[in-house]
Amino acid sequence: MKTIFKLFAITLLLGSILFACKKEASTNIVNPPNSAALAFKSSASAVVLTAVNDAEKVVTFNFKAANFGVSIIPTYSLEFDLPSDTVGANAWANAIVVKIPAGTFEKTYLGADLNSLAGVQLNLPTGTVSTLAVRLKAEVTQNTGTASSIKPIYAALTLTPYKATIEYPALLVKGGNSWKTPATRTNGLLLTSSKFNSKYEGYLNLPNADGWGGDGFQLVSTKDVSKIYGWGTSATTMSLGGGNLWLTPAPAYMKVNADVDALTISYTPVKFFISGDDNGWSTSSTPMVYNAGTGKWGRPM
């Protein structure tokens, strides 16, 4: 059964763009562009989402480059939120932010991606019409590193996401040196991005197959298998095409966080303890043991 929603024409809220720029010794004059000149719009006025068009392009947001009259390069992002979260002191605080790559002035969504954003990231109910607020945000970095303020352009959408099984973007662990990992998604050997952004998290317990007190590995993107993240400049940084990262000591059950935009990675050891009447409610005397074979924690024998 199909669930149909309508994506109504975007109404632009036109207004002046406010730009805060620190005055420098230079005589360059910044002229904020008129919001209408950005021509922020959607390609579709009506969209039907079903499993059939999961892999099809269903909507494209596009806009024109902001011209400030001087040689500065803004960065752009789309923000998606519920209308109720777009007003008040904390307006847009829970928005899903989607960065637009440098030099690109559009963002296209496949049916599955748009449905995931609405139904999973924003938790909109299935089977009913919901309103989704979208805004384009342009940011300019000053010479001090402080972001300048540019008033966003707003647009409104109404949609009904259909219920589907969602596959989150992931970074697959690729074993280094003498050990190999499965080529497919396998629990315990992947990090996932729950908000479909640059931040990934997972729990790893590598086998210490190399016997060096740690295990070498790389992270392979499921969105683009040509992107393989490895060693950066330190144990907590990554780079594309770098050598092995190291999880040490291993084996050790660790929460691993990686950010593919910031190219950072961190490791936090995780332990569980049994606490109850039999040990006086101690939070340390009865540690649980992780069974790598079953992937489960259990009481020590």
Side-chain angles (χ1 to χ4, degrees), residues 32-80:
N34 185 282
S35 61
L38 298 181
F40 179 53
K41 61 184 180 181
S42 165
S43 64
S45 59
V47 176
V48 177
L49 286 184
T50 71
V52 175
N53 62 7
D54 268 353
E56 296 177 5
K57 298 176 181 179
V58 294
V59 63
T60 296
F61 299 100
N62 55 64
F63 56 94
K64 294 182 179 179
N67 183 359
F68 293 92
V70 293
S71 182
I72 54 177
I73 302 176
T75 58
Y76 305 95
S77 58
L78 293 176
E79 296 187 350
F80 297 83

Side-chain angles (χ1 to χ4, degrees), residues 19 24 26 28-31 66-74 140-141:
F19 174 71
E24 301 178 312
S26 170
N28 289 337
I29 298 176
V30 175
N31 296 310
N67 183 359
F68 293 92
V70 293
S71 182
I72 54 177
I73 302 176
V140 178
T141 301

Side-chain angles (χ1 to χ4, degrees), residues 25 33-34 37 65-66 68 95-96 105 108 125 168 172 201 206 209 229 262 264 267 277-278 280:
N34 185 282
F68 293 92
I96 302 301
F105 304 103
T108 297
Y168 292 94
L172 304 184
E201 181 175 292
L206 305 189
Y229 298 90
T264 57
Y267 310 92
D277 289 334
D278 61 341

Side-chain angles (χ1 to χ4, degrees), residues 92-103:
W92 297 89
N94 298 313
I96 302 301
V97 179
V98 179
K99 294 182 179 180
I100 306 298

Side-chain angles (χ1 to χ4, degrees), residues 111-124:
D113 295 333
L114 184 61
N115 186 69
S116 295
L117 188 150
V120 178
Q121 294 177 264
L122 288 174
N123 199 30
L124 292 179

